[in-house]
Coordinates of all heavy atoms in Angstrom, one line a residue:
M1 N 0.2 16.6 -5.2 CA 0.7 15.7 -4.1 C 0.2 14.3 -4.3 O 1.0 13.4 -4.2 CB 0.2 16.2 -2.8 CG 0.6 15.4 -1.6 SD 0.2 16.2 -0.1 CE 0.3 14.8 1.0
I2 N -1.1 14.1 -4.6 CA -1.6 12.7 -4.9 C -0.9 12.1 -6.1 O -0.6 11.0 -6.1 CB -3.1 12.7 -5.0 CG1 -3.7 13.0 -3.6 CG2 -3.6 11.4 -5.5 CD1 -5.2 13.1 -3.6
E3 N -0.7 13.0 -7.1 CA 0.0 12.5 -8.3 C 1.4 12.0 -8.0 O 1.9 10.9 -8.5 CB 0.1 13.5 -9.4 CG -1.2 13.8 -10.1 CD -1.0 14.8 -11.2 OE1 0.1 15.0 -11.8 OE2 -2.1 15.4 -11.6
D4 N 2.1 12.7 -7.1 CA 3.5 12.2 -6.7 C 3.4 10.9 -5.9 O 4.2 10.0 -6.2 CB 4.1 13.3 -5.8 CG 4.5 14.5 -6.5 OD1 4.6 14.5 -7.7 OD2 4.6 15.6 -5.8
A5 N 2.4 10.8 -5.0 CA 2.2 9.5 -4.3 C 1.9 8.4 -5.3 O 2.4 7.3 -5.1 CB 1.1 9.7 -3.3
Y6 N 1.0 8.7 -6.2 CA 0.7 7.6 -7.2 C 1.9 7.2 -8.0 O 2.1 6.0 -8.1 CB -0.4 8.2 -8.2 CG -0.7 7.3 -9.4 CD1 -1.6 6.3 -9.2 CD2 -0.1 7.5 -10.6 CE1 -1.9 5.4 -10.3 CE2 -0.3 6.7 -11.7 CZ -1.2 5.6 -11.5 OH -1.5 4.8 -12.6
H7 N 2.7 8.1 -8.5 CA 3.9 7.7 -9.3 C 4.9 7.0 -8.4 O 5.6 6.1 -8.9 CB 4.5 8.9 -10.0 CG 3.6 9.5 -11.1 ND1 3.3 8.8 -12.2 CD2 2.9 10.6 -11.2 CE1 2.5 9.5 -13.0 NE2 2.3 10.6 -12.4
N8 N 5.1 7.4 -7.2 CA 6.0 6.7 -6.3 C 5.6 5.3 -6.0 O 6.4 4.4 -6.0 CB 6.2 7.5 -5.0 CG 7.0 8.7 -5.1 OD1 7.8 8.8 -6.0 ND2 6.8 9.7 -4.2
C9 N 4.3 5.1 -5.8 CA 3.8 3.8 -5.6 C 3.9 2.9 -6.9 O 4.2 1.7 -6.8 CB 2.3 3.8 -5.1 SG 2.1 4.5 -3.5
M10 N 3.7 3.5 -8.0 CA 3.8 2.7 -9.3 C 5.2 2.3 -9.5 O 5.5 1.2 -9.9 CB 3.4 3.6 -10.5 CG 1.9 3.8 -10.5 SD 0.9 2.3 -10.7 CE 1.4 1.8 -12.4
R11 N 6.2 3.1 -9.1 CA 7.6 2.7 -9.2 C 8.0 1.6 -8.3 O 8.9 0.8 -8.6 CB 8.5 3.9 -8.9 CG 8.7 4.9 -10.0 CD 9.7 6.0 -9.6 NE 9.5 6.4 -8.2 CZ 10.4 6.8 -7.4 NH1 11.6 7.0 -7.8 NH2 10.1 7.2 -6.2
C12 N 7.2 1.4 -7.2 CA 7.5 0.4 -6.2 C 6.6 -0.8 -6.3 O 6.6 -1.7 -5.5 CB 7.4 1.0 -4.8 SG 8.6 2.3 -4.5
M13 N 5.8 -0.9 -7.4 CA 4.9 -2.0 -7.6 C 5.6 -3.3 -7.6 O 6.8 -3.5 -8.1 CB 4.2 -1.9 -9.0 CG 3.2 -2.9 -9.3 SD 1.7 -2.5 -8.5 CE 0.9 -1.7 -9.8
N14 N 5.1 -4.3 -6.9 CA 5.6 -5.6 -6.7 C 6.9 -5.7 -5.9 O 7.6 -6.6 -5.9 CB 5.8 -6.4 -8.0 CG 4.5 -6.5 -8.7 OD1 3.5 -7.0 -8.2 ND2 4.5 -6.2 -10.0
C15 N 7.2 -4.6 -5.1 CA 8.3 -4.5 -4.3 C 7.9 -4.4 -2.8 O 6.8 -4.0 -2.5 CB 9.1 -3.2 -4.6 SG 9.9 -3.2 -6.2
K16 N 8.8 -4.9 -1.9 CA 8.6 -4.8 -0.5 C 8.9 -3.4 -0.1 O 9.9 -2.9 -0.3 CB 9.5 -5.8 0.2 CG 9.2 -6.0 1.6 CD 10.0 -7.2 2.2 CE 9.7 -7.3 3.7 NZ 10.5 -8.4 4.3
V17 N 7.9 -2.8 0.6 CA 8.0 -1.4 1.0 C 7.6 -1.2 2.5 O 6.9 -2.0 3.1 CB 7.1 -0.5 0.1 CG1 7.6 -0.5 -1.3 CG2 5.7 -0.9 0.2
R18 N 7.9 0.0 3.0 CA 7.4 0.5 4.2 C 6.7 1.8 3.9 O 7.3 2.7 3.3 CB 8.5 0.7 5.3 CG 8.0 1.3 6.6 CD 9.1 1.4 7.6 NE 9.7 0.1 7.9 CZ 11.0 -0.2 7.9 NH1 11.8 0.7 7.6 NH2 11.4 -1.4 8.2
I19 N 5.4 1.9 4.2 CA 4.6 3.0 3.9 C 4.2 3.7 5.2 O 3.7 3.1 6.1 CB 3.3 2.7 3.1 CG1 3.7 2.1 1.8 CG2 2.4 3.9 3.0 CD1 2.5 1.6 0.9
L20 N 4.5 5.0 5.3 CA 4.1 5.9 6.4 C 2.9 6.7 6.0 O 3.0 7.4 5.0 CB 5.3 6.8 6.8 CG 5.0 7.7 8.0 CD1 4.7 6.9 9.3 CD2 6.2 8.6 8.2
T21 N 1.8 6.6 6.7 CA 0.6 7.4 6.4 C 0.3 8.2 7.7 O 0.9 8.1 8.7 CB -0.6 6.5 6.1 OG1 -1.0 5.9 7.3 CG2 -0.3 5.5 5.0
T22 N -0.7 9.1 7.6 CA -1.2 9.8 8.7 C -1.7 9.0 9.8 O -1.9 9.4 10.9 CB -2.2 10.9 8.3 OG1 -3.3 10.2 7.7 CG2 -1.6 11.9 7.4
E23 N -2.1 7.7 9.5 CA -2.7 6.8 10.4 C -1.7 5.7 11.0 O -2.1 5.0 11.9 CB -3.9 6.1 9.8 CG -5.1 7.0 9.7 CD -5.6 7.0 8.2 OE1 -5.2 6.1 7.5 OE2 -6.3 8.0 7.9
G24 N -0.5 5.7 10.5 CA 0.4 4.7 11.0 C 1.4 4.2 9.9 O 1.5 4.8 8.8
Q25 N 2.2 3.2 10.3 CA 3.2 2.6 9.4 C 2.9 1.2 9.0 O 2.4 0.4 9.8 CB 4.5 2.7 10.1 CG 5.7 2.1 9.4 CD 7.0 2.3 10.1 OE1 7.5 3.4 10.3 NE2 7.6 1.2 10.6
Y26 N 3.1 0.9 7.7 CA 2.7 -0.4 7.2 C 3.9 -1.0 6.4 O 4.5 -0.2 5.7 CB 1.5 -0.4 6.4 CG 0.3 0.3 7.0 CD1 0.1 1.7 7.0 CD2 -0.6 -0.4 7.8 CE1 -0.9 2.3 7.6 CE2 -1.6 0.2 8.5 CZ -1.8 1.6 8.4 OH -2.8 2.2 9.0
E27 N 4.1 -2.3 6.4 CA 5.1 -3.0 5.6 C 4.4 -4.1 4.8 O 3.5 -4.8 5.3 CB 6.2 -3.6 6.5 CG 7.1 -2.6 7.1 CD 8.3 -3.2 7.9 OE1 8.5 -4.4 7.7 OE2 8.9 -2.5 8.6
G28 N 4.9 -4.2 3.6 CA 4.3 -5.3 2.8 C 4.8 -5.0 1.3 O 5.7 -4.3 1.0
T29 N 4.0 -5.7 0.4 CA 4.3 -5.6 -1.0 C 3.2 -4.9 -1.7 O 2.0 -5.3 -1.5 CB 4.5 -7.0 -1.6 OG1 5.6 -7.7 -0.9 CG2 4.9 -7.0 -3.1
I30 N 3.5 -3.9 -2.5 CA 2.4 -3.2 -3.3 C 2.0 -4.2 -4.4 O 2.8 -4.6 -5.3 CB 2.9 -1.9 -3.9 CG1 3.3 -1.0 -2.7 CG2 1.9 -1.3 -4.8 CD1 3.9 0.4 -3.2
V31 N 0.7 -4.5 -4.5 CA 0.1 -5.4 -5.5 C -0.7 -4.6 -6.5 O -0.9 -5.1 -7.6 CB -0.7 -6.5 -4.9 CG1 0.2 -7.4 -4.1 CG2 -1.8 -6.0 -4.0
R32 N -1.1 -3.4 -6.2 CA -2.0 -2.6 -7.1 C -2.0 -1.2 -6.7 O -1.9 -0.9 -5.5 CB -3.4 -3.2 -7.2 CG -4.3 -2.5 -8.2 CD -5.6 -3.2 -8.3 NE -6.4 -2.4 -9.2 CZ -7.7 -2.1 -9.0 NH1 -8.3 -2.5 -7.9 NH2 -8.3 -1.4 -9.9
V33 N -2.1 -0.3 -7.7 CA -2.3 1.1 -7.4 C -3.3 1.7 -8.4 O -3.3 1.3 -9.6 CB -0.9 1.9 -7.6 CG1 -1.1 3.4 -7.3 CG2 0.2 1.3 -6.8
D34 N -4.3 2.5 -7.9 CA -5.2 3.2 -8.8 C -5.1 4.7 -8.4 O -4.2 5.1 -7.7 CB -6.6 2.6 -8.7 CG -7.3 2.7 -7.4 OD1 -6.9 3.6 -6.6 OD2 -8.2 1.9 -7.1
N35 N -6.0 5.5 -9.0 CA -5.9 6.9 -8.8 C -6.2 7.4 -7.4 O -6.0 8.6 -7.0 CB -6.7 7.7 -9.8 CG -8.1 7.3 -9.8 OD1 -8.5 6.4 -9.1 ND2 -8.9 8.0 -10.6
C36 N -6.7 6.5 -6.5 CA -7.1 6.9 -5.1 C -6.4 6.0 -4.1 O -6.2 6.5 -2.9 CB -8.6 6.8 -4.9 SG -9.6 7.9 -5.9
Y37 N -6.1 4.8 -4.4 CA -5.6 3.9 -3.3 C -4.3 3.1 -3.8 O -4.1 2.9 -5.0 CB -6.7 2.8 -3.0 CG -7.9 3.5 -2.5 CD1 -9.0 3.6 -3.3 CD2 -8.0 3.9 -1.2 CE1 -10.2 4.2 -2.9 CE2 -9.2 4.5 -0.7 CZ -10.3 4.6 -1.5 OH -11.4 5.2 -1.1
V38 N -3.6 2.7 -2.8 CA -2.5 1.7 -3.0 C -2.9 0.5 -2.2 O -3.4 0.5 -1.1 CB -1.1 2.3 -2.5 CG1 -1.2 2.7 -1.0 CG2 0.0 1.2 -2.7
Y39 N -2.8 -0.7 -2.8 CA -3.2 -2.0 -2.2 C -1.9 -2.7 -1.8 O -1.1 -3.0 -2.6 CB -4.0 -2.8 -3.3 CG -5.2 -2.0 -3.7 CD1 -5.2 -1.1 -4.8 CD2 -6.4 -2.2 -3.1 CE1 -6.3 -0.4 -5.2 CE2 -7.6 -1.5 -3.5 CZ -7.5 -0.6 -4.5 OH -8.6 0.1 -4.9
L40 N -1.8 -3.0 -0.5 CA -0.6 -3.5 0.1 C -0.9 -4.9 0.6 O -1.8 -5.1 1.4 CB -0.2 -2.6 1.2 CG 1.2 -2.9 1.8 CD1 2.3 -2.5 0.8 CD2 1.3 -2.1 3.1
K41 N -0.1 -5.9 0.2 CA -0.2 -7.2 0.8 C 0.8 -7.2 2.0 O 2.0 -7.2 1.8 CB 0.2 -8.3 -0.2 CG 0.1 -9.7 0.4 CD 0.4 -10.7 -0.7 CE 0.3 -12.1 0.0 NZ 0.6 -13.2 -1.0
P42 N 0.2 -7.2 3.2 CA 1.1 -7.1 4.4 C 2.0 -8.3 4.6 O 1.7 -9.4 4.1 CB 0.1 -7.1 5.6 CG -1.2 -6.7 5.0 CD -1.2 -7.2 3.6
D43 N 3.2 -8.1 5.2 CA 4.1 -9.2 5.5 C 3.4 -10.2 6.4 O 2.6 -9.7 7.2 CB 5.4 -8.7 6.2 CG 6.3 -7.9 5.2 OD1 6.1 -8.1 4.0 OD2 7.1 -7.2 5.7
S44 N 3.7 -11.4 6.4 CA 3.1 -12.4 7.2 C 3.3 -12.1 8.7 O 2.5 -12.5 9.6 CB 3.5 -13.8 6.9 OG 4.9 -13.9 7.0
K45 N 4.5 -11.5 9.0 CA 4.8 -11.2 10.4 C 3.9 -10.0 11.0 O 3.8 -9.9 12.2 CB 6.3 -10.9 10.6 CG 6.7 -9.6 9.9 CD 8.2 -9.4 10.1 CE 8.6 -8.1 9.3 NZ 10.0 -7.8 9.5
N46 N 3.4 -9.2 10.1 CA 2.6 -8.1 10.5 C 1.1 -8.5 10.5 O 0.5 -8.7 9.4 CB 2.8 -6.9 9.6 CG 4.2 -6.3 9.7 OD1 4.8 -6.4 10.7 ND2 4.7 -5.8 8.6
R47 N 0.5 -8.6 11.6 CA -0.9 -8.9 11.7 C -1.7 -7.6 11.7 O -1.6 -6.9 12.6 CB -1.2 -9.8 12.9 CG -0.6 -11.1 12.8 CD -1.3 -12.0 11.8 NE -0.7 -13.2 11.7 CZ -0.7 -14.0 10.6 NH1 -1.3 -13.5 9.5 NH2 -0.1 -15.1 10.5
V48 N -2.5 -7.4 10.6 CA -3.3 -6.2 10.6 C -4.7 -6.5 10.2 O -4.9 -7.6 9.6 CB -2.7 -5.1 9.6 CG1 -1.3 -4.7 10.0 CG2 -2.6 -5.7 8.2
H49 N -5.6 -5.7 10.5 CA -7.0 -5.9 10.0 C -7.0 -5.3 8.6 O -6.5 -4.3 8.3 CB -8.0 -5.1 10.9 CG -8.0 -5.6 12.3 ND1 -8.6 -6.8 12.6 CD2 -7.5 -5.1 13.4 CE1 -8.5 -7.0 13.9 NE2 -7.8 -6.0 14.4
T50 N -7.6 -6.1 7.7 CA -7.6 -5.7 6.3 C -8.9 -5.0 6.0 O -9.9 -5.1 6.7 CB -7.6 -7.0 5.4 OG1 -8.7 -7.8 5.7 CG2 -6.3 -7.7 5.5
S51 N -8.8 -4.1 4.9 CA -9.9 -3.3 4.6 C -10.5 -3.7 3.2 O -11.4 -3.1 2.7 CB -9.6 -1.9 4.6 OG -8.5 -1.6 3.8
A52 N -9.8 -4.7 2.5 CA -10.3 -5.2 1.2 C -9.7 -6.6 1.0 O -8.8 -7.0 1.7 CB -9.8 -4.2 0.1
F53 N -10.2 -7.2 0.0 CA -9.7 -8.5 -0.4 C -9.3 -8.6 -1.8 O -10.1 -8.1 -2.7 CB -10.7 -9.6 0.0 CG -11.0 -9.7 1.4 CD1 -12.0 -9.0 2.1 CD2 -10.2 -10.5 2.2 CE1 -12.2 -9.1 3.4 CE2 -10.4 -10.7 3.6 CZ -11.4 -9.9 4.2
Y54 N -8.2 -9.2 -2.1 CA -7.8 -9.4 -3.5 C -8.6 -10.6 -4.1 O -9.0 -11.4 -3.3 CB -6.3 -9.7 -3.5 CG -5.6 -9.3 -4.8 CD1 -5.6 -8.0 -5.2 CD2 -4.9 -10.3 -5.5 CE1 -4.9 -7.7 -6.4 CE2 -4.2 -9.9 -6.6 CZ -4.2 -8.7 -7.1 OH -3.6 -8.3 -8.2
P55 N -8.8 -10.6 -5.4 CA -9.6 -11.7 -6.0 C -9.2 -13.1 -5.6 O -10.1 -14.0 -5.6 CB -9.5 -11.4 -7.5 CG -9.1 -10.0 -7.6 CD -8.3 -9.7 -6.4
Y56 N -8.0 -13.3 -5.3 CA -7.5 -14.7 -5.0 C -7.6 -15.0 -3.5 O -7.1 -16.1 -3.1 CB -6.1 -14.9 -5.6 CG -6.1 -14.6 -7.0 CD1 -5.4 -13.4 -7.5 CD2 -6.7 -15.4 -8.0 CE1 -5.4 -13.2 -8.8 CE2 -6.6 -15.1 -9.3 CZ -6.0 -14.0 -9.8 OH -6.0 -13.7 -11.1
G57 N -8.2 -14.2 -2.7 CA -8.4 -14.5 -1.3 C -7.3 -14.0 -0.4 O -7.4 -14.1 0.8
A58 N -6.2 -13.5 -1.0 CA -5.1 -13.0 -0.1 C -5.5 -11.7 0.5 O -6.2 -10.9 -0.1 CB -3.8 -12.7 -1.0
E59 N -5.2 -11.5 1.8 CA -5.6 -10.3 2.5 C -4.8 -9.1 2.0 O -3.6 -9.2 1.9 CB -5.4 -10.5 4.0 CG -6.3 -11.5 4.6 CD -6.0 -11.7 6.0 OE1 -5.1 -11.1 6.6 OE2 -6.8 -12.5 6.6
I60 N -5.5 -8.0 1.6 CA -4.9 -6.8 1.1 C -5.4 -5.6 1.9 O -6.5 -5.5 2.1 CB -5.3 -6.7 -0.4 CG1 -4.9 -7.9 -1.2 CG2 -4.7 -5.4 -1.0 CD1 -3.4 -8.1 -1.3
L61 N -4.4 -4.8 2.3 CA -4.7 -3.6 3.0 C -4.8 -2.4 2.0 O -4.0 -2.3 1.1 CB -3.6 -3.3 4.0 CG -3.7 -2.1 4.9 CD1 -4.9 -2.3 5.8 CD2 -2.5 -1.9 5.7
T62 N -5.9 -1.7 2.0 CA -6.2 -0.6 1.1 C -5.8 0.7 1.8 O -6.4 1.0 2.9 CB -7.7 -0.6 0.7 OG1 -8.0 -1.9 0.1 CG2 -7.9 0.5 -0.3
L63 N -4.9 1.4 1.3 CA -4.5 2.7 1.9 C -4.7 3.8 0.9 O -4.4 3.8 -0.3 CB -3.0 2.7 2.2 CG -2.5 1.5 3.1 CD1 -1.0 1.5 3.1 CD2 -3.1 1.7 4.5
S64 N -5.3 4.9 1.4 CA -5.6 6.1 0.6 C -4.3 6.8 0.2 O -3.5 7.1 1.1 CB -6.5 7.0 1.3 OG -6.7 8.2 0.7
L65 N -4.2 7.2 -1.1 CA -3.0 7.9 -1.5 C -3.0 9.3 -0.8 O -1.9 9.9 -0.6 CB -3.0 8.1 -3.0 CG -2.7 6.8 -3.8 CD1 -2.9 7.1 -5.3 CD2 -1.4 6.3 -3.5
F66 N -4.2 9.8 -0.4 CA -4.3 11.1 0.2 C -3.6 11.2 1.5 O -3.1 12.2 2.0 CB -5.8 11.5 0.3 CG -6.0 12.9 0.9 CD1 -5.7 14.0 0.1 CD2 -6.4 13.1 2.1 CE1 -5.9 15.3 0.6 CE2 -6.6 14.3 2.7 CZ -6.3 15.5 1.9
T67 N -3.6 10.0 2.3 CA -3.0 10.0 3.6 C -1.5 9.6 3.6 O -0.8 9.5 4.6 CB -3.7 9.0 4.5 OG1 -3.6 7.6 4.0 CG2 -5.2 9.3 4.6
L68 N -0.9 9.3 2.4 CA 0.4 8.8 2.3 C 1.4 10.0 2.6 O 1.3 11.0 2.0 CB 0.7 8.3 0.8 CG 1.8 7.4 0.6 CD1 1.4 6.0 1.1 CD2 2.2 7.3 -0.8
L69 N 2.4 9.7 3.5 CA 3.4 10.7 3.8 C 4.7 10.3 3.2 O 5.5 11.2 2.8 CB 3.5 10.8 5.4 CG 2.3 11.3 6.1 CD1 2.5 11.2 7.6 CD2 1.9 12.7 5.7
A70 N 5.1 9.0 3.3 CA 6.4 8.5 2.7 C 6.3 7.1 2.3 O 5.5 6.3 2.9 CB 7.4 8.7 3.8
I71 N 7.2 6.7 1.4 CA 7.3 5.3 1.0 C 8.7 5.0 0.8 O 9.5 5.8 0.3 CB 6.5 5.0 -0.3 CG1 6.5 3.5 -0.6 CG2 6.9 5.8 -1.4 CD1 5.5 3.1 -1.7
A72 N 9.2 3.8 1.3 CA 10.6 3.4 1.2 C 10.6 1.9 0.9 O 9.9 1.1 1.4 CB 11.3 3.6 2.5
L73 N 11.6 1.6 0.0 CA 11.8 0.2 -0.4 C 12.6 -0.4 0.8 O 13.4 0.2 1.4 CB 12.7 0.1 -1.6 CG 12.1 0.5 -2.9 CD1 13.1 0.6 -4.0 CD2 11.0 -0.4 -3.3
I74 N 12.2 -1.7 1.1 CA 12.9 -2.4 2.2 C 13.4 -3.7 1.8 O 13.0 -4.2 0.8 CB 12.1 -2.5 3.5 CG1 10.8 -3.1 3.2 CG2 11.9 -1.1 4.1 CD1 10.0 -3.4 4.5

């Protein structure tokens, strides 16, 4: 299951997506994926609390691949 989530996120790298997790729904651009997390740069219209920071200071939301339910290109 995590491998499927990883590959789906990799296919959507640098694309605008909507991600549904067990904790909620998020929109933004996938900027990085590793074996545990997907790193999402939220749309400017979506104000969310971030859980990590990208090296260049842009706010990045870190989502666990384990909680991923669905991902869609938007």
Side-chain angles (χ1 to χ4, degrees):
M1 180 174 164
I2 292 178
E3 285 184 24
D4 292 338
Y6 172 82
H7 291 295
N8 286 335
C9 289
M10 287 299 292
R11 283 185 315 152
C12 297
M13 184 78 94
N14 298 314
C15 294
K16 191 172 176 181
V17 296
R18 178 176 296 129
I19 295 178
L20 179 64
T21 71
T22 56
E23 286 123 20
Q25 179 174 293
Y26 306 91
E27 288 186 15
T29 303
I30 295 177
V31 295
R32 183 173 176 224
V33 180
D34 62 27
N35 58 351
C36 294
Y37 300 101
V38 57
Y39 301 88
L40 189 73
K41 182 177 181 182
D43 289 342
S44 59
K45 65 179 179 178
N46 295 328
R47 294 289 175 207
V48 296
H49 296 287
T50 59
S51 56
F53 293 92
Y54 206 57
Y56 304 107
E59 295 179 354
I60 302 298
L61 184 62
T62 306
L63 303 171
S64 171
L65 290 176
F66 185 72
T67 65
L68 202 78
L69 298 175
I71 185 169
L73 292 171
I74 54 173

